[in-house]
CSV table of all heavy atoms in Angstrom, one decimal:
chain,number,residue,atom,x,y,z
D,74,ALA,N,6.6,-16.5,26.1
D,74,ALA,CA,6.5,-17.9,26.5
D,74,ALA,C,5.3,-18.6,25.8
D,74,ALA,O,5.2,-19.8,25.7
D,74,ALA,CB,6.4,-18.1,28.0
D,75,SER,N,4.4,-17.8,25.3
D,75,SER,CA,3.1,-18.3,24.7
D,75,SER,C,3.3,-18.7,23.2
D,75,SER,O,2.4,-19.0,22.5
D,75,SER,CB,2.0,-17.3,24.8
D,75,SER,OG,2.1,-16.3,23.9
D,76,VAL,N,4.6,-18.6,22.7
D,76,VAL,CA,4.8,-18.9,21.3
D,76,VAL,C,4.4,-20.4,21.0
D,76,VAL,O,4.6,-21.3,21.8
D,76,VAL,CB,6.3,-18.7,20.9
D,76,VAL,CG1,7.2,-19.7,21.5
D,76,VAL,CG2,6.4,-18.7,19.4
D,77,SER,N,3.8,-20.6,19.8
D,77,SER,CA,3.3,-21.8,19.4
D,77,SER,C,3.4,-22.0,17.9
D,77,SER,O,2.9,-21.2,17.1
D,77,SER,CB,1.8,-22.0,19.8
D,77,SER,OG,1.3,-23.3,19.3
D,78,THR,N,4.3,-23.0,17.5
D,78,THR,CA,4.4,-23.3,16.1
D,78,THR,C,3.9,-24.7,15.7
D,78,THR,O,4.0,-25.2,14.6
D,78,THR,CB,5.9,-23.3,15.7
D,78,THR,OG1,6.6,-24.3,16.4
D,78,THR,CG2,6.5,-21.9,16.0
D,79,GLY,N,3.3,-25.4,16.7
D,79,GLY,CA,2.8,-26.7,16.5
D,79,GLY,C,3.9,-27.8,16.7
D,79,GLY,O,3.7,-29.0,16.4
D,80,HIS,N,5.0,-27.4,17.2
D,80,HIS,CA,6.2,-28.4,17.4
D,80,HIS,C,6.8,-28.0,18.7
D,80,HIS,O,7.5,-26.9,18.8
D,80,HIS,CB,7.1,-28.3,16.2
D,80,HIS,CG,8.2,-29.3,16.3
D,80,HIS,ND1,9.3,-29.2,16.9
D,80,HIS,CD2,8.2,-30.6,15.7
D,80,HIS,CE1,10.1,-30.3,16.8
D,80,HIS,NE2,9.4,-31.2,16.1
D,81,GLU,N,6.6,-28.8,19.8
D,81,GLU,CA,7.1,-28.4,21.1
D,81,GLU,C,8.6,-28.1,21.2
D,81,GLU,O,9.1,-27.2,21.8
D,81,GLU,CB,6.7,-29.5,22.1
D,81,GLU,CG,7.0,-29.1,23.5
D,81,GLU,CD,6.6,-30.2,24.5
D,81,GLU,OE1,6.0,-31.2,24.2
D,81,GLU,OE2,6.9,-30.0,25.7
D,82,GLN,N,9.4,-29.0,20.5
D,82,GLN,CA,10.9,-28.8,20.6
D,82,GLN,C,11.2,-27.5,19.9
D,82,GLN,O,12.1,-26.7,20.5
D,82,GLN,CB,11.5,-29.9,19.8
D,82,GLN,CG,13.1,-29.9,19.9
D,82,GLN,CD,13.7,-31.0,19.2
D,82,GLN,OE1,13.1,-31.9,18.7
D,82,GLN,NE2,15.0,-31.0,19.2
D,83,ARG,N,10.6,-27.1,18.8
D,83,ARG,CA,10.9,-25.8,18.1
D,83,ARG,C,10.5,-24.7,19.0
D,83,ARG,O,11.2,-23.7,19.1
D,83,ARG,CB,10.2,-25.8,16.8
D,83,ARG,CG,10.5,-24.5,16.0
D,83,ARG,CD,10.0,-24.5,14.6
D,83,ARG,NE,8.6,-25.0,14.5
D,83,ARG,CZ,8.2,-25.7,13.5
D,83,ARG,NH1,9.0,-26.0,12.5
D,83,ARG,NH2,6.9,-26.1,13.4
D,84,ASP,N,9.3,-24.8,19.6
D,84,ASP,CA,8.8,-23.8,20.5
D,84,ASP,C,9.7,-23.5,21.6
D,84,ASP,O,10.0,-22.3,22.0
D,84,ASP,CB,7.4,-24.1,21.0
D,84,ASP,CG,6.3,-24.2,20.0
D,84,ASP,OD1,6.6,-23.8,18.8
D,84,ASP,OD2,5.3,-24.7,20.3
D,85,ASN,N,10.2,-24.5,22.3
D,85,ASN,CA,11.2,-24.4,23.4
D,85,ASN,C,12.5,-23.7,22.9
D,85,ASN,O,13.1,-22.9,23.6
D,85,ASN,CB,11.5,-25.8,24.0
D,85,ASN,CG,10.3,-26.2,24.8
D,85,ASN,OD1,9.5,-25.5,25.3
D,85,ASN,ND2,10.2,-27.6,24.9
D,86,HIS,N,12.9,-24.0,21.7
D,86,HIS,CA,14.1,-23.4,21.1
D,86,HIS,C,13.9,-21.9,20.8
D,86,HIS,O,14.7,-21.1,21.2
D,86,HIS,CB,14.5,-24.1,19.8
D,86,HIS,CG,15.9,-23.8,19.4
D,86,HIS,ND1,16.4,-24.0,18.1
D,86,HIS,CD2,16.9,-23.2,20.1
D,86,HIS,CE1,17.7,-23.5,18.1
D,86,HIS,NE2,18.0,-23.1,19.2
D,87,ILE,N,12.7,-21.6,20.4
D,87,ILE,CA,12.4,-20.2,20.2
D,87,ILE,C,12.4,-19.4,21.5
D,87,ILE,O,12.8,-18.2,21.6
D,87,ILE,CB,11.0,-20.0,19.4
D,87,ILE,CG1,11.1,-20.6,18.0
D,87,ILE,CG2,10.6,-18.5,19.4
D,87,ILE,CD1,9.8,-20.7,17.3
D,88,ARG,N,11.9,-20.0,22.6
D,88,ARG,CA,11.8,-19.4,23.9
D,88,ARG,C,13.3,-19.3,24.5
D,88,ARG,O,13.4,-18.4,25.4
D,88,ARG,CB,11.0,-20.3,24.9
D,88,ARG,CG,9.5,-20.2,24.5
D,88,ARG,CD,8.8,-21.1,25.5
D,88,ARG,NE,7.4,-21.3,25.0
D,88,ARG,CZ,6.9,-22.5,24.6
D,88,ARG,NH1,7.6,-23.6,24.6
D,88,ARG,NH2,5.7,-22.5,24.2
D,89,SER,N,14.2,-20.0,24.0
D,89,SER,CA,15.5,-20.1,24.6
D,89,SER,C,16.3,-18.8,24.3
D,89,SER,O,16.0,-18.0,23.5
D,89,SER,CB,16.3,-21.3,24.0
D,89,SER,OG,16.8,-21.1,22.7
Side-chain angles (χ1 to χ4, degrees):
S75 74
V76 69
S77 176
T78 65
H80 189 271
E81 186 176 354
Q82 183 179 358
R83 179 172 49 215
D84 294 348
N85 288 334
H86 195 199
I87 293 169
R88 292 179 190 110
S89 78

